[in-house]
Amino acid sequence: MSNIIGHVNSVESFGSVDGPGVRFMFFMQGCPMRCKYCHNPETWKYEGGTDYTPEEAFEQAYRFKSYWKGGGGITVSGGEALMQMDFVTELFRIAHEHGVNTALDTSGAPFTREEPFFSEFTELMEVTDLFILDIKEIDDEKHKSLTGHTNANILDMARFLSDSGKHMWIRNVLVPTVTDDEGDLRSLAAFIDTLETVDRVEVLPYHTLGLYKYEKLGIKYSLEGIEPPTKEQTAFAESILKR
């Protein structure tokens, strides 16, 4: 058994939206971004959660293999899973040895072509069947305001995945008055059009289901008063991004 330890915030046995089929979900601790609409602020800190070795994590997930028909498998999300890349790589390596489909849900924020990250990322890429990339906002200044982080390296990651032939889903959270600018949506669509391996584009309507967590943690919620998008607003964004 390896001495790699992953800090896991929570698990979900029957995920149905984060990858094909039914998924066993691991939500990791730690995230470098501070997205204003984040519904999992309890995952921001690297510390906390439950510690697993990759072998222990796989064993827990593999008990549900009978439900993974139709391309199901294991998805690792966050927080930001790339903050614990050694754990995810080893977990996915074990999964591939057992013929299990793997998916990584990521914001791409830690991505860089500098070493040692880049070599480690290419190892992870070899055992990842699907990357679910959350592109929060195409305009870099707005992205910085929304997340506290540039999007330049995130867009570079999308290009690298495309150039490497890796399958992707692209996600964008639609927040009225924040990420719903028509020009930005069209710019994001134009960027996605340059990628060769995008299998699906999803518009995720903003919601406030995690608001109580901010109150519990004593964190000010900066989007207070903003309502979720209407069906018409969501449909309009989808008409642009899912063309």
Side-chain angles (χ1 to χ4, degrees):
M1 184 173 288
S2 71
N3 58 2
I4 299 171
I5 297 295
H7 306 298
V8 178
N9 176 267
S10 60
V11 300
E12 181 180 343
S13 303
F14 296 97
S16 60
V17 296
D18 297 298
V22 174
R23 319 292 300 181
F24 192 98
M25 301 285 304
F26 291 95
F27 297 91
M28 308 302 293
Q29 285 287 152
C31 185
M33 290 223 248
R34 294 295 180 266
C35 301
K36 291 181 178 179
Y37 56 72
C38 180
H39 60 277
N40 290 320
E42 73 279 10
T43 67
W44 288 351
K45 292 183 178 180
Y46 181 75
E47 301 82 11
T50 302
D51 289 349
Y52 288 84
T53 65
E55 292 85 358
E56 290 169 340
F58 180 77
E59 288 171 7
Q60 180 172 353
Y62 201 54
R63 290 181 296 168
F64 295 86
K65 64 179 179 179
S66 61
Y67 299 97
W68 296 345
K69 299 179 178 66
I74 295 173
T75 297
V76 179
S77 185
E80 173 48 64
L82 291 180
M83 297 284 285
Q84 301 191 59
M85 193 159 48
D86 56 346
F87 170 83
V88 181
T89 300
E90 184 61 14
L91 171 60
F92 282 5
R93 185 190 65 76
I94 298 170
H96 267 206
E97 288 178 351
H98 290 79
V100 175
N101 180 273
T102 58
L104 181 73
D105 183 8
T106 176
S107 71
F111 181 79
T112 176
R113 298 198 187 220
E114 295 181 1
E115 298 294 355
F117 181 95
F118 190 62
S119 292
E120 294 171 358
F121 181 79
T122 55
E123 290 182 21
L124 170 62
M125 204 167 59
E126 291 299 316
V127 290
T128 304
D129 297 308
L130 174 67
F131 285 84
I132 304 172
L133 180 59
D134 304 306
I135 300 182
K136 317 292 185 178
E137 166 64 51
I138 193 66
D139 181 276
D140 193 34
E141 290 305 313
K142 292 180 181 179
H143 192 279
K144 291 175 184 175
S145 175
L146 178 64
T147 71
H149 194 286
T150 182
N151 70 7
N153 64 313
I154 296 167
L155 302 183
D156 186 41
M157 175 177 162
R159 295 186 192 96
F160 179 64
L161 291 173
S162 176
D163 292 344
S164 301
K166 299 302 296 185
H167 288 277
M168 277 184 281
W169 291 3
I170 301 292
R171 287 177 164 173
N172 177 255
V173 178
L174 184 68
V175 186
T177 75
V178 180
T179 65
D180 63 344
D181 179 80
E182 181 178 347
D184 290 340
L185 291 172
R186 294 194 183 281
S187 293
L188 177 56
F191 173 74
I192 293 172
D193 283 347
T194 68
L195 306 174
E196 300 291 337
T197 58
V198 176
D199 298 328
R200 180 183 300 188
V201 179
E202 297 181 331
V203 175
L204 306 183
Y206 162 75
H207 62 74
T208 58
L209 299 178
L211 187 56
Y212 74 95
K213 299 178 182 180
Y214 287 80
E215 297 171 355
K216 182 178 180 180
L217 294 169
I219 302 172
K220 179 177 174 56
Y221 189 68
S222 60
L223 298 185
E224 190 170 353
I226 293 180
E227 296 295 324
T230 64
K231 290 182 179 179
E232 291 75 17
Q233 289 172 316
T234 302
F236 180 69
E238 288 178 338
S239 72
I240 295 172
L241 293 179
K242 299 175 71 174
R243 59 188 180 183

